[in-house]
Every structure is written in structure tokens, then in C-alpha cells.
Amino acid sequence: MPSVVDRLLNVAANVPDAPAVVEDLRVFSYAELAERAAAFAGIFAQGPRRRVLIVAEKGFQAYAAMFGSLMAGATYAPVAVDATQLRLQTISASFEPDTIVAHPALAASLTPPIDARIIAPDEKLVSQAPDSRSPDDIAYVIFTSGSTGAPKGVAVPRTGLDHYVDWIGPAMGLAPGDRMSQHPNIGFDLSVLDIYGALCHGAALHPFIDRGSRLLPARKVQNDRITVWNSVPSVLSIMETARELDAAHLESVRLFTFCGEVLRRDHVAKLFAARPDAIVLNTYGPTEATVAMTCRRFTVDDWDRACSTSAPFGEAIGDMRLDLVGGDDGDEGEIVISGPQLARFYWNDPALTAEKFRDHTLPDGRVVKAFFTGDYARRSEGDTYFLGRRDDMVKVRGHRMHVGAVSQALEKIGWPTAVAFEKGGQLFAAVERVQGRTFDQAEVIAELSGLLESYSVPSEIRCFDAMPKNQNDKIDGAKVRAMFESGSTR
């Protein structure tokens, strides 16, 4: 199986002048990308630990630094340039980089290791001799927030990245001539699909850099003639609010790919209403499984039958495996993942590694190392549907239930963006305002009473002008609770 570096170099050799990265003010070719990556590699290889912290805006220089790290046999950790200073400092202290790619003023605020070399993303580099040491097993470390909010480093091996990228090409049909979006920040592992998917298969990568393109993404899709779109499903709500989830703005897109959240039925319906000849891929996977490890393909002819309130996320890809364990029957339970895309460990956290990465006995008796996700799912009529987090299993009036059932019921009655939570033995919920519809709490509760058991109906429901989002464009559950408790609606 070719490595991602070999794939990039092959593309650069075959179509050197083809567009690799298309920024607003400049287009960079594959030859330029390979050259810049090699220049970074020469610097990164000199570090004693060969650890590279990349704190840069999405774009040509950040992508070249990532490939350069892999060329050098190093391990990199990407962080969003707008992360809080506390988060940056915490990650820097944990990762102990010997090279930091960031503008000097930003890098200085990280309190980096005393021996760390700081390189500005666009700094002119002098060629260095190659390193003779064997490459590190770990390709990159993504620091997620985790349930406590403290950065948790997920160490992804090179073999896992290679396996995932090998699947991407044929599954998405990426090739020269495609123009792929790059909407997530580089510190969010969903960006791995954009970056390596496009640049290892000859497509042109279009980063959504400025604030305007992130807030009104459909306009850039239209202007850049994007053919392949990838994001968390919540970004569709942004397009919908702007009244741009339509054929005029999405005309060029042949493939929509989603991961990171539940893909709602109404969003799938609106995508196919706008682009009936497009394909929609819904995928699932925690950061610990190298972005995504399942896939479900939809067309205009089959999506309606498969989708309930949400879209199923499909079966395991390639040599990956997904099992459901600990449920009431064999078709429901916690998602347990095994296969070549598994992360190796949590950075500097052996206790958490031992807790989450454990031996798992397969139906044939073989014992494999597996990741216990804490996510619950159910199989029904050949499809697999996400139910919620194990943490979302609550006890209300003596009954155990998933709070996700409340959100799904709210979606059914016309409130597609909803969050439910338990506090003090009671259920509460918040919905996002729907344009042209009046919110009446008593009416909503009455409608829910026809769908849910009495103990599952929230004691109070509030309507927010907009759901708070985190840095990765996902709904921020902690902020929803805080807004609820403060009485704020915006």
C-alpha cells in the first residue's frame, strides 16, 4: 500500500503543473507543494525528538508542513490558529515539539521548550541534508477536548493514515479535475479527509480561510465551483439559515460527505431537492479510528427508505471492523472498533489508553485490540443507526433512557436542531428557532407526549435563536446547558 508521501510525489511527478491548493490570491501547483514539503522536511528531520507543532491557518503552508513532517519521519500535531492561549500552551507543554511552525509572536506565547526552533509558515528555508533515522510510527497527534475539556492527544499511526487514504480514492472517486472543499480547521481531524484525500489523488484543495467563506460557505462553493464537499452536518444548517442550501449555490457539487455528527433526515432531503443527481456519503468514526471507519452511500432513489429521523452510517470500510456489545440484544450496543486505523495510544496518558483500548473477543474466538467508543448504535434492516453516547444514558423517574430519543422526537415534530439533557433527575431540552414558525412550549410538550413515554417528556423546553457551536462547528452541549441555566436565548 503506497504511503501518503509516495502518493503526493507520484501526483507531483505526473501532473506537476496541476493546481494543488487554490487560495483566494494564489494557486499553488503540485510541483510547488512537493518542493515546499521537502524544504520543511529537511528542517524537521534535524530535531532530536522530531516533533512538529503546526499552529497555522489552513492553506498551502500548513499542508506542506504536514507532508514535510511525514517526509522527515517526524510526528506532527496540528492546532487551529484561533485556539485559546491556554489550549495552545497546554498542548505545547504536553507534546514538547522541537520545531514549531507558527508566526513568531504566536509561537512565543506558547512557552515552547527551550530547544524548540520556530519557523514562520512562509519563511524561506535553506535545504538540509536528509535524516537517516527510521521514521516514527506515529504520523500525527490530534488533541481533542474530551469529556473534561482538557486536551487529549490521540496518536494516529502512519499505517492507519495510509489505510484510510487508500480507501478514500475509490470510495469518493477523487481525481485531477475535482475541486474539494477544506472547511474544518486543521486541528479537527475531519480536515485529514480533505487534505490527504485531495492531495494524494490529484484534486485541487480549496481552503475556506476567511471568516466570510466560513460563515457563508455555499457562496464559496458556488464561486469556486466545488465538486466535492466535506463537513460536519451542522454546516448545512448554516447554509439553510442563509437560504443558500439550494441548486443555485450547490450546482457544481457531485459528492457530499459528512462525519462528526448525526446527519439529519431533513438535511438529506434538502440536499437531494437541490442536487438530485449528486451522491451523499454518511460516515462514522471517532478520532481514535483515523477520522472515519464506516460509510453509507445514498442516491436520490434510496435515501428516503433508509433514513429515519437520521441517516444510517453504514458498515466498516476496508479491513476495519465494527461490533455492537453490551446491549439488550445483538443488534444494539456500544460500538467497539478494531482494525488497522486504530490509534496507538493517548499521548502521555497510559491510564486512559488502558481504559479505552482493550482486548476484544470476536465471534470466531480471536482476541484483538479494540477501541471501546462509548457510542451506542442499533442495526435495523441491514443499516446501522447512531443512538447516542453512553454518557447520554440517564435515569429518569426510575427508567433508563437515552436523551437522544428526546432530540429525535423533537426532530420528528419539526424542530430539527435540538439538544436534550438531564439534571437533578429531570429532563430539559432546547431547540433552535425555525424560520417562519412560532415556538409554543405547551404545544411542543403536548406533541412530544404523543411520541414518548411520559417519563421521557422534558419538564421544560426553550427556544434559542441559534445553537452555540464549538471550534469544529459542532453543537456545544456544555454551552447549551449554560445558556439554559442563565436564561439566555442567544
Side-chain angles (χ1 to χ4, degrees), residues 31-260:
E32 290 175 300
L33 178 61
E35 181 181 4
R36 183 63 174 172
F40 273 125
I43 301 298
F44 299 160
Q46 308 308 310
R49 295 180 295 279
R50 290 190 299 182
R51 294 181 196 161
V52 182
L53 184 64
I54 302 173
V55 189
E57 184 56 87
K58 59 174 78 84
F60 173 77
Q61 300 293 353
Y63 309 148
M66 293 173 189
F67 276 102
S69 175
L70 297 174
M71 286 181 180
T75 298
Y76 72 88
V79 186
V81 71
D82 57 351
T84 65
Q85 185 169 347
L86 175 61
R87 178 175 174 81
L88 289 170
Q89 290 177 339
T90 302
I91 291 173
S92 178
S94 174
F95 190 60
E96 294 185 292
D98 40 40
T99 309
I100 299 174
V101 179
H103 288 292
L106 177 59
S109 71
L110 304 183
T111 58
I114 195 167
D115 61 344
R117 176 174 180 174
I118 297 171
I119 301 174
D122 56 355
E123 183 176 323
K124 185 175 181 179
L125 303 176
V126 178
S127 180
Q128 302 279 335
D131 185 23
S132 60
R133 291 175 290 176
S134 298
D136 196 292
D137 174 54
I138 303 302
Y140 62 80
V141 178
I142 290 278
F143 283 86
T144 67
S145 294
S147 58
T148 64
K152 176 181 64 176
V154 180
V156 173
R158 290 168 180 264
T159 51
L161 178 60
D162 292 341
H163 182 277
Y164 181 54
V165 173
D166 188 64
W167 170 81
I168 289 173
M172 300 178 66
L174 289 168
D178 269 318
R179 296 174 294 279
M180 186 163 186
S181 66
Q182 210 279 280
H183 187 274
N185 73 75
I186 66 168
F188 181 22
D189 69 315
L190 186 55
S191 66
V192 169
L193 169 55
D194 308 330
I195 296 165
Y196 293 102
L199 300 177
C200 288
H201 296 98
L205 190 58
H206 291 242
F208 285 46
I209 298 174
D210 64 272
R211 180 174 171 80
S213 67
R214 293 197 296 270
L215 293 179
L216 296 169
R219 296 187 186 182
K220 186 170 176 65
V221 170
Q222 182 182 41
N223 292 337
D224 288 16
R225 306 290 298 166
I226 297 297
T227 62
V228 179
W229 171 264
N230 177 51
S231 73
V232 294
S234 292
V235 180
L236 295 177
S237 296
I238 297 174
M239 296 182 184
E240 190 176 13
T241 300
R243 298 186 179 183
E244 293 175 354
L245 189 61
D246 55 31
H249 289 86
L250 306 178
E251 176 192 9
S252 60
V253 184
R254 66 170 182 82
L255 177 69
F256 296 91
T257 303
F258 300 99
C259 192

Side-chain angles (χ1 to χ4, degrees), residues 57 68 130 157-158 177-178 185 215-216 280 296 322 349 426-427 432:
E57 184 56 87
R158 290 168 180 264
D178 269 318
N185 73 75
L215 293 179
L216 296 169
V280 173
R296 178 62 157 87
L322 182 150
D349 198 336
Q426 295 189 74
L427 285 176
E432 186 171 80

